[in-house]
Amino acid sequence: MTELGTAGGTGVPGGRTVSVILPTYNRCDVVETTLRHFMAQDYPAELMEVLVADNSSDGTPEMVRRVAAEAQLSIQLVSSEERLPAVKRNQALRQARGDLVLWMNDDVWVRPDMVRRHVEMHARHDAPIAVLGHVEQSEKMPANPFTDWYQPFSYWEIAGRAGQTVPYRYHWSMNLSLPRQVMLDRNLVFHEDWANIGHEDIELGYRWTRAGYEIVYEPRAWGEHYHPHDLPSACRLQESVGRGLRDLEVLIPEPDLLERYGVLSRNASPRGRLRMAVRNALFNRFTVPPLQTRLAGLRQRNALAEWLYWKVLLFHTEQGYHTSPPRRLEPTPTWPPGGPTPAGTPG
């Protein structure tokens, strides 16, 4: 395996090598487009590698090898038998060689300057940081009233914080870079014991910030998210989010966690309890199914429907949470800075 190059003479700020890691499963055509966007980066190809962590049963492995053969940058297939993206991410991390690891979703298509923007933001800071890029819904997806409205990522909440620190709950691995050696040295890797897919990036962000590191927002590191959803598929996704909260609430023991996801609990604020109790009285297992069917059949956007969409999605989040049993989990430990890496860890 060849070594990644150095930045001497390239004029690259910070002179850092970058390992792009994206887990995938059975999305061959979308992933090929994702890879070609990284092949078109204005960052030097000799300073980049892309690792595709894959357990697909379709043609993804063959596609990755075909695209790698024509690429100037290194593109590698990290084959896996694991289902959970968290596990696949850690497997690829152990093979990565870059100074920085850029975590991506397999369906985020990036601008040509995206990798450079990440590297430049890291270069502006002496201390290790995580850099959060920006993702918007792709306009290339088939249009319908729900898709035109649906914005699953809450970037509007940090719209005015370019170049500033953001809380751990925005530590989203669809466009996120971290220093590889810090992750390994301090065991700031993804927690792997999940009953459901999702939330592993938020949990890592919690440990990252508790270890004393910052997350800095760089909206110019831009990507578009291509994953068409209709209302039924988005409801299934929200139910999965709710199920995953059973694990997340153990790993992030903060009293307002469930309230932030719209789930009623005894730890919610008085205002939140009232708001969610009223919502649950109106949107329940009797009222939501016929309402969801009606909303799914709409052909034109309207303000009332767009208010109702989110109420229906929150019903499914609550349902996922309350129909899943609690679990007992052991948190992933973080090692002290400068200390020895215990035997058997990914260091």
Side-chain angles (χ1 to χ4, degrees):
M1 181 180 293
T2 59
E3 291 298 318
L4 288 182
T6 61
T10 65
V12 176
R16 299 186 182 181
T17 52
V18 180
S19 297
V20 180
I21 295 178
L22 54 100
T24 189
Y25 176 73
N26 283 359
R27 303 196 70 196
C28 183
D29 293 342
V30 170
V31 175
E32 179 168 355
T33 302
T34 303
L35 292 176
R36 294 195 180 280
H37 278 80
F38 280 106
M39 291 164 62
Q41 290 295 294
D42 64 13
Y43 201 71
E46 67 271 18
L47 302 182
M48 290 177 56
E49 64 176 357
V50 179
L51 294 89
V52 182
D54 178 59
N55 63 322
S56 296
S57 58
D58 65 357
T60 298
E62 293 77 13
M63 178 277 295
V64 172
R65 296 186 185 99
R66 170 173 53 81
V67 172
E70 63 183 81
Q72 291 186 325
L73 75 162
S74 172
I75 298 178
Q76 303 167 47
L77 180 71
V78 181
S79 297
S80 176
E81 296 181 355
E82 296 290 342
R83 174 184 69 93
L84 292 172
V87 180
K88 292 191 289 184
R89 291 183 197 276
N90 285 343
Q91 290 173 337
L93 175 65
R94 297 180 186 112
Q95 295 190 29
R97 298 164 293 150
D99 300 317
L100 302 174
V101 176
L102 177 53
W103 303 102
M104 299 295 302
N105 279 11
D106 64 0
D107 51 12
V108 174
W109 300 342
V110 299
R111 287 175 177 163
D113 64 346
M114 182 264 198
V115 170
R116 176 167 54 83
R117 296 295 188 184
H118 273 275
V119 174
E120 288 174 345
M121 184 59 76
H122 282 278
R124 294 191 197 113
H125 293 76
D126 294 329
I129 60 169
V131 175
L132 172 70
H134 185 81
V135 175
E136 295 180 4
Q137 291 291 84
S138 176
E139 295 180 354
K140 299 180 178 68
M141 291 188 290
N144 62 63
F146 178 77
T147 300
D148 293 345
W149 166 85
Y150 187 48
Q151 296 291 332
F153 315 122
S154 304
Y155 282 99
W156 64 82
E157 296 178 353
I158 55 173
R161 304 188 69 170
Q164 299 179 34
T165 301
V166 297
Y168 77 85
R169 62 180 178 272
Y170 301 102
H171 190 265
W172 296 324
S173 58
M174 59 195 140
N175 184 349
L176 179 76
S177 59
L178 296 98
R180 179 178 63 89
Q181 202 59 51
V182 173
M183 295 186 72
L184 295 173
D185 288 348
R186 301 206 58 187
N187 202 38
L188 287 166
V189 298
F190 290 96
H191 180 80
E192 295 187 355
D193 183 11
W194 297 96
N196 294 277
I197 290 173
H199 297 305
E200 68 269 8
D201 47 2
I202 304 297
E203 189 277 336
L204 176 56
Y206 175 74
R207 285 186 288 119
W208 178 262
T209 55
R210 284 178 63 87
Y213 302 118
E214 296 182 346
I215 305 164
V216 178
Y217 179 40
E218 173 52 286
R220 295 178 298 176
W222 186 93
E224 59 179 312
H225 177 239
Y226 185 90
H227 194 145
H229 272 292
D230 55 16
L231 180 57
S233 67
C235 289
R236 291 192 294 272
L237 177 61
Q238 285 302 123
E239 194 159 331
S240 177
V241 167
R243 291 194 299 268
L245 289 175
R246 283 295 190 180
D247 287 351
L248 195 65
E249 68 179 344
V250 177
L251 298 169
I252 302 181
E254 294 196 344
D256 65 340
L257 177 74
L258 293 179
E259 184 174 353
R260 291 204 306 268
Y261 284 88
V263 173
L264 180 61
S265 76
R266 64 177 180 271
N267 291 325
S269 65
R271 182 178 179 181
R273 284 200 300 270
L274 176 60
R275 183 181 68 252
M276 288 183 282
V278 172
R279 188 196 71 214
N280 290 349
L282 295 174
F283 299 91
N284 53 59
R285 62 191 180 95
F286 301 107
T287 62
V288 165
L291 176 60
Q292 183 175 324
T293 299
R294 185 177 180 85
L295 290 171
L298 291 179
R299 295 294 176 262
Q300 291 184 332
R301 294 183 68 172
N302 67 76
L304 177 59
E306 292 176 358
W307 181 78
L308 292 170
Y309 284 144
W310 190 235
K311 306 304 179 185
V312 169
L313 291 174
L314 287 174
F315 163 80
H316 285 279
T317 306
E318 285 250 14
Q319 181 169 266
Y321 175 81
H322 289 296
T323 57
S324 296
R327 296 208 308 147
R328 303 184 69 173
L329 301 169
E330 288 295 327
T332 296
T334 298
W335 313 133
T341 302
T345 67

